[in-house]
């Protein structure tokens, strides 16, 4: 319905912040928890100040639906992904546009920052993962002719990138330096939209086909150790957590 609501976990109280002019597809909190960014099919993003009741900043500039949004780890920059084939960077303080990143050839679905904030990854229907420097300068491209990208997540050490999407519905865990596929996780029957690593990087959580799954990753390197690219021919195990996603997810 385009509305943005905030739920208090302890009390269950619900607060409606406001609404977009169309469906809201992504929400993300700022690192300090003081703001919320929303991405909508009305072609805008909105920045909500959670402490006060002021009107949100409206970030306009995309030419089509906005699908992905992510704060940089320092909270200063907001990245957005759109069906207009672009990624945009915005000032999180003022909402001002900073830069438009061009290079994708089709809809862009996902954006994710590395933990140190030095890299931004984006992916979409052109079967490419683009890596950008924090400034917006292009760094490199990883492509897969059989796989569109719907979800991205960096590992906590910033050395691996999980990418999910269409095609065979698998999840690839990539080594950033070489682009090598460390693991290919199979089990979902439809598109996978959401990905998140555990804090120690040993597990990956994925959401899609009305289920949430946890994956125990093989060959997880010790902190500071070199990656063993031969360790990840498969996954050690998967646990289905829930099939209770709302219909139409």
């Amino acid at each position: 319905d385009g509305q943005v609501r905030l739920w208090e976990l302890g009390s269950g109280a619900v607060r409606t912040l406001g609404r977009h002019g169309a469906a809201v597809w992504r929400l993300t909190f700022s690192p300090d928890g003081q703001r919320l960014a929303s991405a909508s099919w009305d072609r805008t993003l909105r920045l909500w100040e959670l402490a006060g009741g002021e009107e949100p900043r409206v970030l306009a500039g995309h030419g089509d639906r906005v699908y992905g949004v992510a704060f940089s780890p320092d909270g200063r920059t907001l990245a957005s992904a759109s069906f207009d084939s672009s990624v945009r960077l915005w000032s999180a303080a003022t909402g001002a546009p900073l830069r438009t990143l061009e290079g994708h050839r089709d809809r862009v679905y996902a954006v994710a920052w590395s933990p140190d904030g030095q890299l931004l990854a984006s992916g979409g229907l052109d079967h490419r993962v683009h890596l950008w420097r924090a400034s917006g300068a292009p760094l490199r491209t990883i492509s897969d002719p059989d796989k569109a990208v719907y979800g991205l997540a960096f590992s906590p050490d910033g050395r691996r990138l999980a990418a999910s999407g269409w095609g065979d519905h698998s999840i690839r865990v990539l080594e950033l330096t070489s682009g090598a596929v460390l693991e290919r996780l199979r089990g979902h029957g439809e598109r996978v939209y959401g990905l998140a690593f555990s804090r120690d990087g040993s597990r990956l959580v994925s959401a899609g086909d009305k289920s949430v799954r946890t994956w125990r990753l093989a060959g997880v390197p010790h902190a500071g150790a070199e990656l063993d690219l031969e360790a990840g021919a498969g996954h050690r195990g998967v646990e289905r957590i829930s099939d209770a996603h709302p219909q139409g997810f």
Side-chain angles (χ1 to χ4, degrees), residues 43-128:
R43 306 184 179 189
T44 71
L45 300 107
R46 300 192 183 216
L47 273 173
W48 311 83
E49 297 290 339
L50 299 181
E54 61 263 33
E55 288 295 311
R57 289 191 178 92
V58 178
L59 282 57
H62 278 295
D64 207 331
R65 299 173 179 179
V66 185
Y67 198 92
V69 60
F71 276 99
S72 61
D74 63 8
R76 296 180 179 179
T77 306
L78 200 64
S80 59
S82 172
F83 281 18
D84 66 6
S85 305
S86 76
V87 174
R88 291 181 180 242
L89 302 181
W90 313 79
S91 166
T94 66
L98 300 176
R99 187 164 181 176
T100 300
L101 313 185
E102 297 178 339
H104 282 283
R105 302 175 183 176
D106 208 330
R107 298 173 178 178
V108 188
Y109 276 87
V111 283
W113 292 91
S114 62
D116 63 4
Q118 297 302 304
L119 296 177
L120 176 70
S122 60
L125 282 187
D126 59 358
H127 300 203
R128 286 178 166 87

